[in-house]
Amino acid sequence: MKFPALLIDTSTRYLAFARVEADGVGKLIAKTAADNGEETIDQAVAELFPKSEEIAEIWLGEGPGSFVGLRSSFAYARMLAMLSGAPCRTFLSSRL
């Protein structure tokens, strides 16, 4: 894993976002799902990473979970990975 890493999981009604540093210290943001999913994702990522260039790797929860929630986070993470050049990997959400 490259650090700092961005973790996103939107498979449940609670959206989880985290910034993980190499020393294991990080910051976690949890929000409830709302109608404006992409905006919620964008705000949380901006709070964790004010400069998107800082993101070394993206980890994305792949569910199982809500199709709409997963679709939103996958689209956002894919776009962010393409713009930043950071690799994007998935993990089983049940392992959180």
Side-chain angles (χ1 to χ4, degrees), residues 27-41:
K27 181 176 180 180
L28 174 68
I29 297 174
K31 299 187 178 241
T32 56
D35 292 336
N36 55 350
E38 291 87 1
E39 187 175 325
T40 303
I41 295 170

Side-chain angles (χ1 to χ4, degrees), residues 37-52:
E38 291 87 1
E39 187 175 325
T40 303
I41 295 170
D42 194 41
Q43 290 170 352
V45 171
E47 185 176 334
L48 293 169
F49 289 90
K51 295 180 181 178
S52 61

